[in-house]
């Protein structure tokens, strides 16, 4: 709870009383490693904020292989934004990469939250703006870089990426086979 | 001006007086086809909303070829969100695809606008949320679809895409040579 307050403090000015009221719209959930928080084909009910741990979002491609499109560590939100806003079935899955503790909110509670605490519009305006800015850059990387270059880029920009994420999930994120990732790592080491 | 009011009305409730005050923070700009609104290496001063016409965002890749990453038609915003928020040099260019009329706002005016009219936090929260939702889907497509499949997808989802965008820019967006795009079009017609 203090973690979430400290996070909000970076974006908006609220006192303890207002925070208590804001926090009453959210729920806390502790999940084990590999727990599924969202399943393809189900209504996307929640968006998740990571207090501790790591989540990933993935879909199953035509060949039946899991393709990870996003990771979220501490202080990141993760959801299927499109399906959440429309309250429709999602085409993604969200799973815990590590034992994790998350804050979550459902769509109706979020609507009530905005009504009661419009300051949260500002908080989510800034966080969506940053998420969109990151996505714009990522789209450029997907055009510009080879998958090998992306591995080098993520490794240098986000040290947690290679320290915390299991190799088979890094491979799933970059669209490699685990064997090919091992080859690249060996090549980079030499 | 009525166009922009009608657009805002879809997201927030404001009367004519409040709209006049809100609109005073924005500027209108009319540009000819091929006019450059933003240049790589310059501070990203503005974000642009298309009233009429079409803009595109691109970068020059290692081979010196223009790679288009985004188009914006009527009722869409376009900028380098990352560079705009930080008021730093952009690594993108924005150019008019057609003769266009845009509404633009600079960073400081936007800050003042949020202070005076916090309702605009809600407007930009929703538009960034939708832009991010679209980017999440696009990242999935970039993983999942071949460039040919993306051409078919964009053609069916966004009829304006093939009706309004010149072929060499569609090629630049999809990472094709114009010749290869002609081949695909011929194949799809047959």
């Amino acid at each position: 709870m203090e973690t979430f307050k400290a996070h909000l403090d970076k974006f908006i000015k609220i006192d303890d009383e207002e925070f208590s009221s804001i926090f009453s719209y959210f729920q806390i959930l502790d999940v084990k490693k590999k727990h599924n928080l969202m399943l393809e084909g189900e209504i996307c009910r929640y968006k998740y904020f990571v207090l501790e741990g790591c989540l990933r979002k993935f879909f199953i491609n035509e060949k039946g292989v899991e393709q990870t499109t996003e990771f979220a560590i501490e202080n990141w939100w993760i959801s299927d934004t499109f399906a959440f806003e429309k309250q429709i079935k999602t085409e993604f899955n969200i799973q815990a990469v590590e034992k994790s503790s998350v804050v979550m909110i459902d769509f109706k509670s979020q609507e009530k939250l905005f009504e009661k605490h419009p300051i949260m519009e500002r908080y989510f305006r800034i966080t969506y703006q940053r998420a969109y800015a990151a996505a714009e850059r990522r789209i450029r990387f997907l055009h510009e870089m080879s998958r090998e270059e992306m591995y080098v880029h993520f490794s240098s920009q986000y040290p947690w990426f290679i320290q915390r994420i299991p190799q088979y999930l890094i491979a799933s994120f970059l669209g490699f086979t685990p064997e090919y990732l091992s080859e690249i790592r060996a090549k980079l080491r030499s």
Side-chain angles (χ1 to χ4, degrees), chain A residues 19-72:
Chain A
F19 176 72
S20 292
S21 171
I22 287 171
F23 200 65
S24 69
Y25 294 85
F26 293 87
Q27 296 167 251
I28 287 190
L29 183 70
D30 291 314
V31 293
K32 287 183 187 166
K33 184 175 172 173
K34 297 243 175 174
H35 178 87
N36 294 309
L37 292 112
M38 191 173 90
L39 285 176
E40 197 180 327
E42 294 183 352
I43 304 290
C44 175
R45 302 211 178 277
Y46 298 98
K47 56 187 193 188
Y48 302 97
F49 175 86
V50 180
L51 291 174
E52 207 186 327
C54 179
L55 307 181
R56 71 175 177 120
K57 190 162 79 181
F58 66 96
F59 67 90
I60 315 283
N61 72 16
E62 273 190 355
K63 293 176 189 156
V65 177
E66 289 182 6
Q67 170 75 57
T68 300
T69 59
E70 211 176 319
F71 292 101

Side-chain angles (χ1 to χ4, degrees), chain A residues 146-149 151 167-168 170-172 174-188:
Chain A
S146 69
R147 298 294 164 99
E148 288 83 343
E149 285 168 335
Y151 176 74
Q167 277 213 49
Y168 78 99
I170 292 183
S172 157
L174 294 170
F176 296 152
T177 60
E179 294 73 26
Y180 187 58
L181 178 61
S182 298
E183 277 177 39
I184 292 172
R185 288 169 67 110
K187 203 170 80 180
L188 291 171

Side-chain angles (χ1 to χ4, degrees), chain A residues 9 32 39 43 46 52 54 64 83 92 101-102 117 122-123 125 127 129 136 139 143-144 146 166 168 177-178 180-181:
Chain A
D9 284 343
K32 287 183 187 166
L39 285 176
I43 304 290
Y46 298 98
E52 207 186 327
C54 179
F92 289 95
S101 179
V102 302
H117 297 283
R122 179 173 173 83
Y123 166 71
R125 192 267 299 168
T127 49
Q129 182 180 312
E136 275 184 319
I139 285 167
H143 279 291
E144 196 174 24
S146 69
Y168 78 99
T177 60
Y180 187 58
L181 178 61

